[in-house]
Structures are given as structure tokens and as C-alpha cells.
Amino acid sequence: MRIVKLGDIKENFRESDYNTPFVIPTETVYGLAARIDNEDALRKIYEIKGRPSDNPLIIHISSESMLESLVEGDYPKEYRILMERFWPGPLTLLFRAKSPVSPFLYGRNNIIAVRMPKHSELRNLIEMIGVPLAAPSANTSGRPSPTLLSHVIDDLGKKVNFYVDGGPCEIGLESTVFGILEGKPVLFRPGGISKESIESALQSQVAVKTTVSGNEAVVCPGQKYRHYSPSIPVYLFKGESSTEHMRGKADEFPNKRIGLMAPSDIRSEFPIHVYFDIGSSPPEWSRSIFTGLRELDKTCDIIFVLEIPIENEGLAIMDRLEKAATHIIN
Ligand code: TXA
Ligand code: MG
């Protein structure tokens, strides 16, 4: 196993490190990357993660010219506004592919998902490699996404030879996935860029579509799967009586070690065994929730989580918590 710091990547560039899946840091979460022209390496990403084969991979680019090599020129004019405002950064946009790419990159029809990551050193690395990188989050499928290199090593260990270490991820939640398909602006996965920020940039409302029902067409296959789950039960308490419900539920498990993940100001109210403090502001909460789920998974029997308001960062946080929860108590 070879680990190189993101800042030292230029001096340590070895072509051979990039022939099989390797780990990259991004501002959102760590990714398990492969060149988009290396079909074998793309397939290995699915094997290593245990990822369902119908869930395509986001393409990471370093420049506008890379985007032009991938997509048809007549994309919605709103994308230009969003790219100017939010790229490089945690916003993934859905485009029609210009020429055929690997099937691992396609969602519905010939739609691909593209983003330009924020770290300039990562963009330099993509530039040195010379080809965009496909990268899902670098966790075992279904587990909480990795926001520290140690999370990735816990999940993937020796299945991967080469790791790039960028320290803790700044945002801590995955990118927002957004697309205007058939003229309709839709947010398919809330993430690092809030719905409010997109609406303010576009001066219009966008729909949120994070689940699929019945025989609806699936645009973003990630919507279908359970996610972010520790190996122990996770109770999410929602609504006005959430704290009462939580106390009641705690009484049902007198012999279990309960871990509570909640914002700093909740702490004094609950004499719960293990407390994971996710901080006192929404950006801190975003950065902490995956670490919290992973930490409590190691030390407790049950995890309790309290609802937070869904404005701004809250929408993405609640999306992750609802998908992580085994029980939602309303
Ligand atoms: O922040 C992120 O987006 C991270 C970092 C590593 O960049 N990546 C990430 O990838 O979260 P992943 O694979 O864990 O989630 C990708 C999401 C999934 O919900 C997937 O269904 C959707 O994006 N997606 C990927 N390609 C797509 C496509 N061509 N069409 C529609 N949805 C797509
Ligand atoms: Mg993922």
C-alpha cells in the first residue's frame, strides 16, 4: 500500500499508480478513482466497493476543455450560470454525452454526470493523467461515505494499492446532483451546494427528487439504494415530540449502549451513554455526520439521531440520515 500526500503528488507522479483503482481526496468525500478510458479499472471499482452494476459513476474533470471533449455543446443555458458560480466545487451536473463512453458512466439514455472538484492539486493530477477520472465515494457500498483517509482504509484496506491523502474533507457530504432534463430543473441528490443557492443563482424554483416510486423512470440510480448505514440499528427521531420519543425509546433498551449523535447544544439535555457532538453550525454538522455514524458504530449497540431543520445544509444532512436510519420515529 502506497500513501502520498496530495501536496506532494507532483513530485511523486508514477504512471503505474493510475492503472488500477486508486483513492483520491475531494472537498466532499474521498473517491475511488479510475481513468474513464480504462474499462478494466472501472469494472474493478464495482468489485472493490461491492457496488450494484446499474449505478453509474460521476466523471471528474479538471478544465472546461475536458468538459467539451465529453458533452454536446447545446446544454441548457442555466448550466453556464451554475458552472460559473459553483465550479470548481461540489456540484455535479447531468449532460448528454457527445460520443460513446463506458457503460459504467451512463445513467438513463446517454446521460453522464460531471463535476469539477475543488482542490487545485487534484485538478493538476487529472491534468497530468490527461483523462477525466470516474470516482464514486471510496466506501464499501452501503456504508457511510469516507471523510477521513482512515475511513477509506477501514473499508478498502489492501484492496487498493495507492492512496492520495488530502486530510479531512472540507464539506463532508457528497456533491449535489442536479440536472435539467426535458426542460425541468431537478435536484436528484442534495449535497455540498444547497437547493437555496441553486435557486438563487437561477432565480427560479427547482424540484427535489431523491426517491423513486412505482415504475417511474430512474434518472439517478443512487436514489434506489439504502445508504450510509452502520452495522447497528439507527433510530432517527423526527417531529415536535422527538426528544420525548427519544427518552421513551432509551427506556426500552436498559441494557444497551446507546450513542446519540446530535448538535452541541442538545448535550446537556440527555444523559445518554455515548455522545457524539456534531458541532454547533450546519457546515460543522455536514462535516461530522459520517464520522459520527462510523465512530458510534464501533463503540455502541444502537445509534440515536435527532432531526435537524431542512433548510440549507439541512436538506442534504437529513437525506443522509433518513437513508442511514433503520427506524424513523415520527
Ligand atoms: O461528491 C461526490 O459526488 C463524490 C466525490 C468522490 O466526487 N462522489 C460520489 O459518487 O458521491 P457516488 O457514486 O457515491 O454517487 C454518485 C451519484 C449516485 O447517486 C449516482 O446514481 C449518480 O450520482 N450518478 C452518477 N452518474 C450518473 C449518471 N450518468 N446519470 C445519473 N446519475 C448519475
Ligand atoms: Mg456513494
Side-chain angles (χ1 to χ4, degrees):
M1 185 193 290
R2 203 164 100 80
I3 303 179
V4 171
K5 288 224 169 350
L6 182 60
D8 301 335
I9 201 77
K10 208 167 166 189
E11 298 76 52
N12 289 278
F13 186 77
R14 286 191 209 158
E15 199 83 46
S16 59
D17 287 329
Y18 307 99
N19 294 335
T20 53
F22 57 99
V23 168
I24 53 168
T26 83
E27 77 280 29
T28 57
V29 300
Y30 275 83
L32 180 62
R35 299 168 53 121
I36 63 163
D37 61 354
N38 186 337
E39 195 71 6
D40 256 7
L42 294 173
R43 181 172 302 107
K44 282 208 188 90
I45 288 181
Y46 287 78
E47 278 168 31
I48 292 170
K49 279 181 58 81
R51 182 180 178 94
S53 59
D54 68 348
N55 196 6
L57 309 176
I58 294 177
I59 302 173
H60 297 66
I61 57 166
S62 55
S63 63
E64 292 245 342
S65 58
M66 256 185 197
L67 181 70
E68 281 159 25
S69 71
L70 288 170
V71 310
E72 284 178 3
D74 61 347
Y75 50 77
K77 61 180 187 325
E78 290 87 345
Y79 280 17
R80 182 101 326 265
I81 299 170
L82 296 176
M83 290 188 281
E84 269 163 29
R85 182 80 63 98
F86 302 116
W87 278 11
L91 176 68
T92 296
L93 295 171
L94 302 181
F95 294 90
R96 270 174 218 298
K98 182 152 100 182
S99 40
V101 289
S102 160
F104 293 126
L105 309 175
Y106 285 125
R108 206 174 53 160
N109 304 327
N110 55 347
I111 303 281
I112 54 172
V114 184
R115 86 176 190 98
M116 190 186 282
K118 189 164 170 200
H119 292 310
S120 57
E121 299 99 326
L122 175 60
R123 297 200 307 278
N124 292 341
L125 174 64
I126 298 173
E127 212 54 41
M128 279 192 279
I129 294 172
V131 175
L133 298 178
S137 48
N139 52 316
T140 298
S141 259
R143 296 257 299 144
S145 294
T147 54
L148 299 174
L149 190 70
S150 61
H151 297 161
V152 187
I153 295 174
D154 279 351
D155 276 18
L156 308 182
K158 293 207 173 104
K159 290 186 196 164
V160 177
N161 299 326
F162 183 55
Y163 289 83
V164 182
D165 179 3
C169 298
E170 178 195 330
I171 307 240
L173 295 179
E174 300 87 339
S175 61
T176 298
V177 179
F178 178 80
I180 302 183
L181 306 175
E182 285 125 36
K184 272 205 235 115
V186 180
L187 199 156
F188 293 99
R189 179 177 69 178
I193 300 292
S194 70
K195 171 176 181 275
E196 289 86 342
S197 306
I198 294 178
E199 289 181 332
S200 136
L202 298 182
Q203 292 291 303
S204 73
Q205 304 275 90
V206 306
V208 179
K209 188 101 202 51
T210 56
T211 50
V212 276
S213 50
N215 47 11
E216 246 181 311
V218 177
V219 174
C220 186
Q223 297 164 313
K224 291 187 300 185
Y225 297 103
R226 185 154 173 255
H227 268 93
Y228 317 116
S229 314
S231 58
I232 58 177
V234 178
Y235 285 80
L236 170 61
F237 297 90
K238 293 175 70 170
E240 270 168 31
S241 318
S242 58
T243 53
E244 276 157 54
H245 287 150
M246 194 171 77
R247 284 180 219 273
K249 192 50 83 177
D251 291 342
E252 288 177 31
F253 301 110
N255 301 319
K256 298 275 187 204
R257 216 172 139 78
I258 299 173
L260 170 63
M261 182 166 87
S264 305
D265 56 345
I266 304 288
R267 175 169 217 153
S268 55
E269 292 178 41
F270 298 99
I272 265 184
H273 313 139
V274 183
Y275 186 83
F276 188 92
D277 183 344
I278 59 169
S280 48
S281 68
E284 285 181 51
W285 304 344
S286 301
R287 263 200 294 281
S288 315
I289 62 160
F290 288 140
T291 301
L293 291 172
R294 283 176 178 264
E295 287 296 313
L296 295 177
D297 194 10
K298 283 187 195 154
T299 52
C300 299
D301 303 314
I302 301 178
I303 299 176
F304 282 6
V305 192
L306 275 175
E307 175 180 45
I308 57 152
I310 59 162
E311 68 252 19
N312 298 312
E313 286 89 344
L315 184 67
I317 296 173
M318 285 306 292
D319 171 76
R320 305 311 187 265
L321 294 179
E322 282 177 0
K323 290 190 167 124
T326 50
H327 303 77
I328 297 182
I329 313 284
N330 250 307

